[in-house]
Amino acid sequence: MKHLRLSSRITGRLAVAASKDEIPEDKNCQLPRMDGFPDCMGKLKWMNSMWKSDPCYSSYGVNGSLCSFIVYLSEVPSWSLKSYKAEVKDNFEGLHRSLVNKTQFSWIQQRIKSMEEIWVEAGRSLSQKYNLTERRAKQILVHPGVITNEADLKIAENAFSGGPLGELVQWSDLISTLHILGHNLHLSASEGSLKDTSDKLFTLIAQTTFFHEFTVLKTSWTDYRCIIRVLDSFGTEPDFNHAVWASNHDLKCPFGGLSLIPMQFYTMFPHTPDNTFLGFVVQHQLSSEEHEQLESTKRQNQALVYGKRATFWQGKEAYLDIIHKYLDIHGTVDDSALIPDYVKNHGIVKGTEVQRLLRQSKLFVGLSFPYEGPAPLEALANGCAFLNPRLEPPQSSLNSKFFKGKPNTREVTSQHPYAEAIGEPYVWMVDMNNQTDVERAITSILNHNIEPYLPYEFTCEGMLQRVNVLIEKQDFCSAAPSWPPLSALRVLKAEAGVSCKKVCQRAGLVCEPAFFPHLNNDKNLASYNVDCQTSEFSDKYIVLPAYNSSSKQCLFQQDPLLFSCVRSDQSLVRICPCRDYIKDQIALCKECI
């Protein structure tokens, strides 16, 4: 456990620290030596006289005994003395003060300001539906490695001139969520600031790419491992995450081998069940000022193309020509010289202007790239259908330059798989090279009037609900985590060659990796009608627990980091932990809140 590991180091300091002449010893607790640590005796004296001054001390097990003082001072970080209840915020003043002079956060702060009114209202709405009063404010260090000076990726600088925004959107919405929920944020955008705040750590949220930066922390990697959460847009599968397995099976890549619990990776979309879905917010609700500006916007016979870079348009002329037969085409592109003459290009525009264009358009046109961005959901939220190109063959790290080096083999079957699952009449799948297919989709779209649609999980309130539950319930430091509740478990068998992800999906469920340890023994499996006549623990497979139907032997996972929802084996029947989920909130089971 995190506190126990810390205590072994801090108690060592106390062990060379106290004068036995000043505080009487407890018969059950030896007063440690304090030579060379003059502050320790003062802290013990203060605890002796003041431990009843705040109920938080008793909540940490302080009961007036010397033992309880020593355990508290050893195992509870110093900032816990200032711990208080988390209250849902009704403004962003404190957050804006913390962002002053942090130029790397300029675009993030601009998005936060543009959505302040919506976030505050969402916080109020969630508070009315659920009891959010009995929560403690946590210390959370947020370190977006992608915008650091050391990374030198220029993502923060290019955000205002057509650069990629997906990761910045997610960081912005995460920061807003944590602030509204009342937690204490420590924002870091350099190795220096990461080092300066590391002694205040409760949860560290960072990025896969920049884990080398943790070498600057004052404490070892082991001390921080269980409290880390990693923003990871495309997902990390268990076999790529496990350093030894990846090395032995030729899966080494720049972003893998961290050997975290796979659920510590937080994804942009719910595509990798071994990871945790964090998500982001689709900016569809408007502030009162923006609403007035766009109130008079009327739907036109036009299409807006998804692609800010002119290079995305190259080779798509025939596809666009077909669409142009039916609709005027608009774009928000960085270079008009490289796109068809009939396109009305608005250049790189801000969010409100994008919303206006989407509200004017009947169709949002995918070009097959970029993959899995926020924009298609923004289109649906503004009542604009999305034309989603199929990818043939499906793209993955095995056949795509873009995905090469990503720590997974997930197959992307269209430009936007999440939107693909939403389906018609909102999302229309097309083969860009098939004129008949494209025209069929366009004529169908023109014959439909769709209402704005957005899944709850991509609203401000939906993200607040999800992140609040994850912060309060998800625990990677405990030896016996109790969330999600075991009552949500549904056990299914996946025939040879089928993954747990697929067998759960077929049943309208999702694979829940937190339940794998419960199924990893013959006693528990017996209660689910799995007859293990013999059993064996092994670290040679990534599909365990599993069952050999011919020999009736059960194979159990020896290495818990190798539990996997997404892998299958042609010779083994997988024992799969599935659960239900709340409609439009897939990260949470129906009993999870």
Side-chain angles (χ1 to χ4, degrees):
M1 289 176 63
K2 167 68 176 168
H3 284 163
L4 293 180
R5 285 201 293 270
L6 282 176
S7 70
S8 65
R9 185 178 68 259
I10 303 173
T11 305
R13 294 178 182 172
L14 286 175
V16 290
S19 165
K20 295 182 181 180
D21 298 330
E22 298 188 46
I23 287 186
E25 291 192 20
D26 188 306
K27 65 179 181 179
N28 297 315
C29 190
Q30 292 291 318
L31 186 66
R33 295 180 57 202
M34 300 185 186
D35 302 342
F37 293 86
D39 294 337
C40 290
M41 181 56 69
K43 289 182 179 181
L44 284 171
K45 286 182 176 181
W46 189 94
M47 287 295 298
N48 188 47
S49 61
M50 298 296 292
W51 70 273
K52 293 182 179 179
S53 64
D54 192 312
C56 99
Y57 296 116
S58 60
S59 72
Y60 281 106
V62 177
N63 59 14
S65 69
L66 177 60
C67 266
S68 69
F69 297 157
I70 291 174
V71 169
Y72 179 85
L73 292 171
S74 299
E75 297 186 2
V76 179
S78 60
W79 46 260
S80 292
L81 294 169
K82 302 175 183 177
S83 181
Y84 51 85
K85 286 186 177 181
E87 296 181 354
V88 174
K89 299 284 181 64
D90 61 4
N91 64 74
F92 278 80
E93 291 177 7
L95 180 58
H96 289 313
R97 283 196 299 272
S98 70
L99 289 169
V100 171
N101 298 324
K102 287 186 169 69
T103 57
Q104 300 100 320
F105 288 88
S106 295
W107 191 91
I108 289 173
Q109 186 172 22
Q110 175 183 283
R111 178 174 168 87
I112 291 172
K113 284 183 176 180
S114 73
M115 297 175 66
E116 278 188 29
E117 187 180 320
I118 304 162
W119 278 112
V120 170
E121 178 55 37
R124 290 196 191 105
S125 177
L126 191 70
S127 298
Q128 291 169 1
K129 297 174 183 176
Y130 302 97
N131 180 8
L132 302 180
T133 59
E134 300 302 319
R135 302 173 302 122
R136 287 217 168 265
K138 295 178 173 62
Q139 308 290 330
I140 301 178
L141 172 57
V142 179
H143 183 75
V146 72
I147 65 172
T148 61
N149 294 331
E150 292 83 3
D152 196 30
L153 294 179
K154 308 297 183 187
I155 287 196
E157 296 88 333
N158 295 335
F160 296 98
S161 57
L165 298 178
E167 289 177 315
L168 295 182
V169 165
Q170 192 175 33
W171 281 110
S172 167
D173 296 343
L174 173 63
I175 290 168
S176 296
T177 298
L178 296 173
H179 173 78
I180 287 291
L181 289 173
H183 297 294
N184 300 317
L185 299 186
H186 306 272
L187 303 176
S188 164
S190 69
E191 290 186 3
S193 59
L194 182 64
K195 183 176 182 179
D196 291 342
T197 54
S198 63
D199 60 340
K200 299 173 181 164
L201 211 52
F202 178 86
T203 296
L204 191 156
I205 303 175
Q207 216 150 9
T208 315
T209 323
F210 306 102
F211 263 62
H212 69 274
E213 294 180 353
F214 297 148
T215 59
V216 307
L217 293 174
K218 297 175 184 177
T219 319
S220 72
W221 162 259
T222 303
D223 286 323
Y224 288 97
R225 182 184 297 272
C226 71
I227 60 172
I228 287 172
R229 308 291 184 268
V230 184
L231 263 64
D232 178 16
S233 298
F234 294 100
T236 296
E237 292 171 348
D239 36 358
F240 288 84
N241 168 63
H242 194 290
V244 175
W245 182 281
S247 179
N248 291 342
H249 293 80
D250 196 28
L251 298 176
K252 293 179 70 175
C253 63
F255 310 124
L258 295 177
S259 296
L260 297 170
I261 295 170
M263 287 177 288
Q264 289 177 261
F265 296 97
Y266 277 29
T267 60
M268 198 155 186
F269 288 96
H271 44 53
T272 307
D274 292 300
N275 303 154
T276 296
F277 168 51
L278 172 65
F280 59 95
V281 169
V282 172
Q283 193 171 1
H284 72 295
Q285 294 169 283
L286 302 173
S287 66
S288 53
E289 181 181 348
E290 291 170 335
H291 183 74
E292 289 178 10
Q293 293 174 0
L294 296 180
E295 193 172 21
S296 60
T297 302
K298 303 297 182 184
R299 197 78 61 186
Q300 307 292 326
N301 196 53
Q302 71 182 44
L304 180 65
V305 176
Y306 179 21
K308 291 182 293 186
R309 297 293 188 192
T311 52
F312 298 167
W313 296 55
Q314 302 307 295
K316 311 297 192 311
E317 290 81 6
Y319 169 56
L320 294 170
D321 287 345
I322 298 168
I323 298 170
H324 183 233
K325 288 166 52 180
Y326 296 85
L327 296 158
D328 295 331
I329 296 184
H330 292 241
T332 55
V333 194
D334 59 357
D335 189 350
S336 293
L338 299 177
I339 63 177
D341 292 338
Y342 53 71
V343 175
K344 182 177 180 180
N345 184 23
H346 301 263
I348 303 301
V349 297
K350 292 184 178 180
T352 306
E353 177 63 11
V354 172
Q355 298 234 34
R356 185 184 68 80
L357 288 169
L358 288 170
R359 290 185 178 208
Q360 285 180 344
S361 303
K362 295 181 178 179
L363 176 63
F364 191 51
V365 180
L367 296 172
S368 77
F369 188 85
Y371 304 121
E372 298 183 305
L377 295 186
E378 292 177 6
L380 303 188
N382 283 283
C384 180
F386 176 50
L387 206 58
N388 189 17
R390 297 186 189 90
L391 299 178
E392 292 289 350
Q395 300 292 287
S396 73
S397 60
L398 303 178
N399 63 359
S400 163
K401 182 178 179 180
F402 177 84
F403 288 111
K404 186 176 182 180
K406 301 284 192 299
N408 63 67
T409 56
R410 179 172 66 93
E411 291 189 335
V412 177
T413 54
S414 67
Q415 182 172 357
H416 207 287
Y418 182 92
E420 180 180 348
I422 293 174
E424 300 174 6
Y426 302 99
V427 179
W428 298 78
M429 304 299 298
V430 292
D431 176 355
M432 290 191 301
N433 299 311
N434 184 323
Q435 179 174 343
T436 302
D437 196 32
V438 175
E439 290 187 334
R440 174 200 61 84
I442 293 173
T443 54
S444 296
I445 289 168
L446 294 178
N447 288 324
H448 281 84
N449 289 317
I450 65 169
E451 294 297 320
Y453 170 71
L454 182 65
Y456 179 72
E457 57 199 357
F458 286 101
T459 65
C460 288
E461 186 179 316
M463 187 164 183
L464 285 169
Q465 181 195 56
R466 179 171 63 255
V467 173
N468 179 63
V469 173
L470 291 175
I471 289 176
E472 296 300 312
K473 302 292 187 181
Q474 197 177 50
D475 180 8
F476 301 119
C477 298
S478 171
S482 57
W483 188 87
L486 201 56
S487 55
L489 172 62
R490 305 289 182 270
V491 179
L492 297 178
K493 296 178 184 178
E495 62 267 28
V498 177
S499 71
C500 285
K501 177 182 179 180
K502 285 186 178 179
V503 79
C504 293
Q505 280 181 337
R506 289 173 184 171
L509 305 169
V510 292
C511 180
E512 177 50 70
F515 292 142
F516 272 122
H518 175 74
L519 299 181
N520 203 44
N521 63 74
D522 52 4
K523 180 180 178 181
N524 286 345
L525 284 192
S527 63
Y528 299 105
N529 300 316
V530 179
D531 180 19
C532 302
Q533 294 193 0
T534 62
S535 63
E536 176 186 346
F537 278 81
S538 171
D539 60 1
K540 306 302 181 187
Y541 298 88
I542 198 154
V543 295
L544 307 184
Y547 180 72
N548 188 318
S549 55
S550 58
S551 66
K552 294 191 176 181
Q553 181 187 40
C554 291
L555 292 173
F556 297 118
Q557 186 56 260
Q558 185 172 314
D559 188 334
L561 293 185
L562 291 177
F563 287 127
S564 169
C565 286
V566 298
R567 296 290 176 253
S568 60
D569 189 282
Q570 293 297 330
S571 62
L572 295 173
V573 174
R574 296 210 56 185
I575 311 299
C576 298
C578 308
R579 65 161 171 84
D580 61 20
Y581 56 91
I582 299 170
K583 186 181 185 304
D584 288 345
Q585 187 68 292
I586 198 169
L588 304 179
C589 66
K590 293 177 181 178
E591 298 180 45
C592 285
I593 56 174

